[in-house]
Amino acid sequence: MRALVSALLLVLVASPLACDRKVERFDPNEKPSPPDLARIFPPGAERSEMAGPPTGGGPPPAPGMPQGGAEEAASSAEPVRGRVVLDPSLAGRVPPHATLFVIARRGNGGPPLAVKRVPDPTLPYEFEIGPDDRMIRQMPFVGPIQLSARLDADGNATTRSAGDLQGSARSAANPGDSNVEIVIDQAL
């Protein structure tokens, strides 16, 4: 019993000394600084606004980008316009009060470049998705862009449930394109 008490006392005394992290006091007035996203995003993704313009050692601008930098190109890019239509074979399967998500991606994978959320849409739906709809501000709105749409029953973009409907555009689009058609033709 004495050994147990001694061990417990040793743990209690040594615990504060064993922490090797520098923990600072919480300051409720402290402004958070933006994270450095340069190691996360592929070449061509813009730098954080806080970092300022490149000073010569960084990568060259992505092809087709103006010399003003990625932020300027990303915010001045034209939106993609088109419409979302429902395949007639799925007409009776639209979930009541569904939410339409129009999703733009660069390439076939990775995080969405931009998302437009439309509660209780009427199909066909005329859409416009552009730089203002970007999910991550540091990602430039440049093409080619893969567009897809999903009618989601629960309105939560992260879940895919049985009964949700989805589809995609037949080919990639570029900023400024219009008359892009996304056909919802698949049921999950």
Side-chain angles (χ1 to χ4, degrees):
M1 178 73 166
R2 188 174 199 180
L4 181 63
V5 170
S6 295
L8 184 59
L9 186 58
L10 180 63
V11 168
L12 289 174
V13 170
S15 290
L17 301 174
C19 182
D20 64 347
R21 293 183 178 201
K22 181 181 176 187
V23 180
E24 297 178 15
R25 296 182 79 88
F26 174 70
D27 179 5
N29 298 319
E30 180 180 6
K31 301 284 186 204
S33 59
D36 178 16
L37 301 175
R39 295 186 301 162
I40 298 172
F41 296 105
E46 65 186 282
R47 297 179 184 270
S48 170
E49 293 174 11
M50 300 298 285
T55 56
M65 286 194 149
Q67 292 296 327
E71 177 64 28
E72 181 181 317
S75 62
S76 66
E78 289 291 319
V80 176
R81 294 175 180 86
R83 67 186 196 141
V84 177
V85 297
L86 184 66
D87 186 278
S89 67
L90 298 175
R93 297 184 64 182
V94 175
H97 306 293
T99 300
L100 173 67
F101 292 99
V102 179
I103 304 155
R105 293 184 190 276
R106 284 183 55 199
N108 293 329
L113 172 61
V115 175
K116 177 79 73 174
R117 183 180 192 274
V118 183
D120 208 11
T122 301
L123 296 175
Y125 177 79
E126 300 289 328
F127 73 88
E128 177 178 298
I129 189 165
D132 293 341
D133 302 302
R134 287 179 294 166
M135 297 294 295
I136 301 171
R137 189 159 180 77
Q138 285 74 21
M139 300 236 0
F141 193 79
V142 295
I145 299 170
Q146 303 295 325
L147 292 168
S148 63
R150 187 170 83 243
L151 281 168
D152 192 273
D154 66 6
N156 184 342
T158 60
T159 62
R160 295 174 196 263
S161 306
D164 289 351
L165 306 175
Q166 67 182 14
S168 58
R170 296 196 192 279
S171 60
N174 287 300
D177 285 356
S178 59
N179 298 323
V180 175
E181 186 171 78
I182 301 173
V183 179
I184 296 179
D185 57 1
Q186 302 168 14
L188 298 181

